[in-house]
């Protein structure tokens, strides 16, 4: 765990995973609604093993859960505008002096926050995983970086029709993006979305997850180095 400072001067903690190489490109990773748990730390570790510094800001300030109702409570209590402009921006600013280029990625709730934070000037690229805020909150004209998105056609939380509308909005603003659709359910890349304990509307799919990860790592390799 490391400490970093938001643009407004407030302190935030985050989980930092570092690769063996020094001066590696960096990626800020945004959690699902569960909080800063072992699964999202594992995502950061995976990126570190691929050669990136990876920082997961603790948006819930130490809170995490495995219960859907509590996760929904934590998410609805989060100020998305503050998280995007302060917590995430602070994480980007923490990494910027340490890395030649900096990216951003997020899952579910974190995917929505990735789109909201995509206009940050410190960013060089971003990858969104099955999460989108209401489209009226996205100012596509301020997004100047390449985007990649991974979407589930059977997603009950973020309907696939919204993705088409998002594409039109990004096209109108001349944003460089590539979106991929998978015959899958929400959270198809979360290896903990399995078994009787999972939410019914989520389902891990190892085949689609691997393909999406291959695409994401190639994308970050191209744009971050």
């Amino acid at each position: 765990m490391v400490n970093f400072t938001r643009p407004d001067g407030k302190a935030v903690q985050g989980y930092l995973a570092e690769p063996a190489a020094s001066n590696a490109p960096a990626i800020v990773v945004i959690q699902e609604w569960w909080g800063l748990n072992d699964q999202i730390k594992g995502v950061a570790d995976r990126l570190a093993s691929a050669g990136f510094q990876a920082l997961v800001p603790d948006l819930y300030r130490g809170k995490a859960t495995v219960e859907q109702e509590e996760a929904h409570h934590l998410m609805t209590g989060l100020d998305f505008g503050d998280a995007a402009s302060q917590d995430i921006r602070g994480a980007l600013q923490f990494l910027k002096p340490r890395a030649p280029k900096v990216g951003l990625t997020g899952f579910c709730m974190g995917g929505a926050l990735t789109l909201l934070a995509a206009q940050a000037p410190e960013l060089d690229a971003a990858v969104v995983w099955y999460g989108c805020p209401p489209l009226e909150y996205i100012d596509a004209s301020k997004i100047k970086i390449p985007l990649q998105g991974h979407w589930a056609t059977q997603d009950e939380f973020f309907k696939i029709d919204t993705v088409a509308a998002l594409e039109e909005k990004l096209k109108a603003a001349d944003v460089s993006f590539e979106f991929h659709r998978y015959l899958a359910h929400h959270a198809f890349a979360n290896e903990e979305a399995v078994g009787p304990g999972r939410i019914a509307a989520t389902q891990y799919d190892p085949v689609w997850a691997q393909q999406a990860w291959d695409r994401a790592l190639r994308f970050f390799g191209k744009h971050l180095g």
Side-chain angles (χ1 to χ4, degrees), residues 43-120:
V43 170
D45 294 341
R46 181 175 191 161
L47 288 168
S49 70
F52 300 96
Q53 302 177 65
L55 174 61
V56 190
D58 184 6
L59 303 183
Y60 289 166
R61 305 296 189 268
K63 296 180 180 178
T65 184
V66 296
E67 299 295 333
Q68 181 179 357
E69 185 175 342
E70 177 65 10
H72 183 266
H73 174 73
L74 289 169
M75 181 181 71
T76 54
L78 182 70
D79 184 332
F80 274 53
D82 183 74
S85 64
Q86 295 294 326
D87 289 2
I88 297 173
R89 184 88 187 276
L92 294 170
Q93 291 176 344
F94 172 81
L95 291 172
K96 194 66 176 178
R98 303 164 53 104
K101 291 187 177 182
V102 182
L104 175 65
T105 193
F107 302 76
C108 179
M109 180 189 85
L113 284 165
T114 295
L115 286 167
L116 291 175
Q119 64 189 51

Side-chain angles (χ1 to χ4, degrees), residues 21-36:
S22 59
N23 198 38
I27 299 170
V28 173
V29 181
I30 309 302
Q31 66 194 49
E32 295 189 12
W33 65 351
W34 306 114
L36 181 54

